[in-house]
Amino acid sequence: MNLKASFNNCLLVFVTMNLLQSYFSPILQDEALYWNFAQHLDWGYFDHPPMVALLVKIGGLFFSKTLGVRLMTVLLMGVLVKIIWNFIPLHQRKNKHAPLLYFGILFSIPACNVYSFVTTPDVPLLFFSGLYLLAFLKFTKKNNTKHLLFLGIAAALLLYSKYHGALVIFLTVLCHPKLLKKRSTYLAGLVALLLLLPHLYWQYKHDFISVQYHLFERSKVGFESSNVLGAFFGFVGILNPGFVILLATSLRKNRRIYKKDFSLMFRLFIGYLTFFLLYSFRSRPEAHWVAFAMIPMAVLLFNLANSNAKARKKIQHIALVSSLLLFSARLLIAFQIPIASEFQKEKNTFFEAISKLAGDRKVVFLNSYQRASKFNYYTNKQAVSVNTAKSRQNQFDLWAFESESHNKPILLVKKKGAPLFDSIQTNTGAWIFYREIEHFPRFNATIGRLKNKTPLVFYRDKPGTTNISIQNPTSFVLDFQRKDFPYTLSFLLTKNKTHYKIPLDYKNPNKILEKTTEELSVSWNLKKEKIPKGDYALHLLLGSKNLYDQKISKSVSVQIQ
């Protein structure tokens, strides 16, 4: 068997195994969210660019449900495997055992196993990172018009996949600073910018909500040792601890193996991991953020195996043990063995029970876009998610869907029991906590603004006043005089994970008509609140008594004195 046939056979096994895994493995809650994205295609989403939604939409044209969600993931990862293979110098690929070693390395990387069948934005990030690197290498060798366009298009597609792609682009340019002196580099950047204009316009229309979320609202800002340790072990774990340690020790002993043909891959691997390790000193990163590092790592490991006989044996041993463990885990997932994992969380029977309980009423999930996404996926009905003041916003806040549930009978579902909520146990033993509401108030599209200049100062020993505006952009009236769930206004002060709700006094506007704005003067008194002095983030809340409060304004700074 020749080398090409051997590689293609390994690739065929890889793709077939992932297709089977995709079919038999239950859907994850994030995948269900991306399926919801695909039902409402747009140029952007609350915390992601649109590529993952497009891939799910394309897959859904050929297959329904799980295989449709994952089809493009399997195919793109198959092509990526071929792209990475071409990053390896030809003379190292000529060995008859080279394909087995290469696939052994890939199959030993946890990130490669996960993203070979699970659909997330990391999949297009990986694929278009590989495509971008291919274009970049061609561009650095010969920057003609064809390669210029290839680079610009690949860069745009990479950024349409996940915002982390910007780091890949930055690091490649940093590795070749002379490119900044070439006119063609900026023309490639212009091509990418033109292609990105629809997404940038979408961000502009939504007040750059993705930027605001990722930079300022995603997680607590400030040093915590647990973030640094968690990042280190998470990054090492998703890439394979044995491989990372082996690369680190080989670097200490012999740097020459990373020079010449492998300098770019080496710098990308070190630079990408270093960036997110440094980020962990500011906030908490997720382990999967470094998934891209598997691309340069696979190339570096293959080079190390061909440069050092002892290292080759170690890589083979690590690959054998890791592959067996990972393959066993994949079997447990595919055969749906009841183990504690994300794949076993609340499957179709749970959501069908909720659908049956709701009947013809709309289902509204409280503080759970994950459950709303899965409900929609399994039942093909349109549930929504609403968030209380202490929960973060998500894509359902942008979709709104007010007209589908406002002032209509709904079934409100919570994760845990609470006063005024009933409960019922399903046939599988899971509990559903619900509340039946005849006229449900929706107001998450309402926009509140503070009219005073910021930063504000609140005093603990005397009352305060300010002016606010409330905009109702919907097609229905906000009735402040309703008797079942009267509307209330309040402030929410937040510092780290501590929240203080400040009731506001104001003269009721009675009603805020559709597509109008009402201005109010509000006052408060902090004497009874016992709030420590310091700096806080402040949001304006609109709520329904005995139901929930929701943030309707951007965060502003306030100082308590």
Side-chain angles (χ1 to χ4, degrees), residues 275-532:
F275 176 87
F276 285 111
L277 278 173
L278 291 175
Y279 178 88
S280 70
F281 285 83
R282 173 188 182 270
S283 190
R284 180 178 62 85
E286 303 289 343
H288 64 86
W289 288 2
V290 300
F292 161 78
M294 64 166 269
I295 295 177
M297 188 180 78
V299 177
L300 294 173
L301 284 168
F302 194 90
N303 174 54
L304 179 60
N306 280 275
S307 305
N308 187 303
K310 289 184 178 180
R312 184 186 184 92
K313 287 186 177 180
K314 290 180 180 178
I315 289 173
Q316 289 172 335
H317 291 154
I318 293 170
L320 178 62
V321 174
S322 301
S323 296
L324 288 173
L325 290 173
L326 289 167
F327 185 69
S328 299
R330 291 179 66 148
L331 286 177
L332 291 174
I333 293 169
F335 287 102
Q336 301 189 34
I337 306 299
I339 56 174
S341 77
E342 289 291 326
F343 291 94
Q344 298 301 321
K345 277 189 176 179
E346 296 173 341
K347 293 185 283 190
N348 59 329
T349 53
F350 177 77
F351 294 101
E352 287 170 359
I354 294 176
S355 178
K356 184 178 180 180
L357 183 64
D360 295 331
R361 294 170 295 185
K362 281 286 182 182
V363 177
V364 177
F365 290 91
L366 197 60
N367 294 330
S368 185
Y369 68 88
Q370 301 96 333
R371 279 184 160 189
S373 299
K374 271 194 165 184
F375 179 91
N376 296 343
Y377 172 83
Y378 281 121
T379 67
N380 282 320
K381 295 182 179 180
Q382 182 62 67
V384 296
S385 172
V386 295
N387 307 300
T388 57
K390 297 177 184 179
S391 298
R392 77 166 180 87
Q393 285 188 305
N394 56 66
Q395 182 59 35
F396 281 92
D397 292 289
L398 295 188
W399 282 328
F401 300 133
E402 274 93 353
S403 60
E404 298 184 10
S405 56
H406 180 68
N407 275 339
K408 295 178 180 178
I410 63 103
L411 188 77
L412 184 65
V413 181
K414 283 191 67 173
K415 286 185 176 181
K416 297 180 180 180
L420 304 178
F421 277 74
D422 295 319
S423 63
I424 187 173
Q425 192 172 25
T426 66
N427 293 333
T428 60
W431 285 92
I432 301 171
F433 301 99
Y434 67 96
R435 183 177 175 184
E436 298 172 304
I437 298 175
E438 285 300 313
H439 302 285
F440 184 67
R442 287 296 302 275
F443 43 79
N444 64 311
T446 308
I447 301 170
R449 292 186 177 88
L450 277 73
K451 307 293 287 184
N452 295 46
K453 293 182 179 179
T454 58
L456 297 170
V457 178
F458 289 2
Y459 296 94
R460 297 191 299 172
D461 57 351
K462 60 182 181 181
T465 61
T466 190
N467 295 318
I468 65 170
S469 67
I470 301 176
Q471 179 185 353
N472 176 16
T474 67
S475 58
F476 50 81
V477 175
L478 287 178
D479 186 359
F480 273 71
Q481 299 300 312
R482 61 184 297 161
K483 296 180 179 179
D484 51 355
F485 299 107
Y487 291 140
T488 61
L489 289 170
S490 55
F491 283 148
L492 182 71
L493 299 178
T494 305
K495 186 173 185 179
N496 298 330
K497 295 181 180 180
T498 305
H499 305 276
Y500 299 94
K501 183 179 175 182
I502 312 299
L504 296 177
D505 293 322
Y506 53 93
K507 184 179 180 181
N508 274 344
N510 296 325
K511 293 181 180 180
I512 300 180
L513 300 179
E514 61 269 30
K515 303 186 184 305
T516 60
T517 300
E518 186 85 20
E519 293 195 2
L520 299 174
S521 176
V522 298
S523 60
W524 62 89
N525 195 325
L526 301 184
K527 288 184 178 180
K528 298 180 181 179
E529 303 301 330
K530 297 181 180 179
I531 302 175

Side-chain angles (χ1 to χ4, degrees), residues 128 132-133 150 170 207-208 229 291 341 376 458 481 505 541:
F128 288 112
Y132 168 80
L133 291 176
F150 185 19
F170 173 76
D207 295 326
F208 294 94
L229 291 173
S341 77
N376 296 343
F458 289 2
Q481 299 300 312
D505 293 322
L541 305 183

Side-chain angles (χ1 to χ4, degrees), residues 15 22 62 84 162 179 181 199 206 222 306 320 338 361 391 414 424 480 507 516-517 524 539 544 558:
V15 172
S22 298
F62 299 94
I84 300 173
K162 195 172 182 178
L179 290 176
K181 297 179 180 179
H199 179 64
H206 293 85
N306 280 275
L320 178 62
R361 294 170 295 185
S391 298
K414 283 191 67 173
I424 187 173
F480 273 71
K507 184 179 180 181
T516 60
T517 300
W524 62 89
H539 287 91
S544 283
V558 63

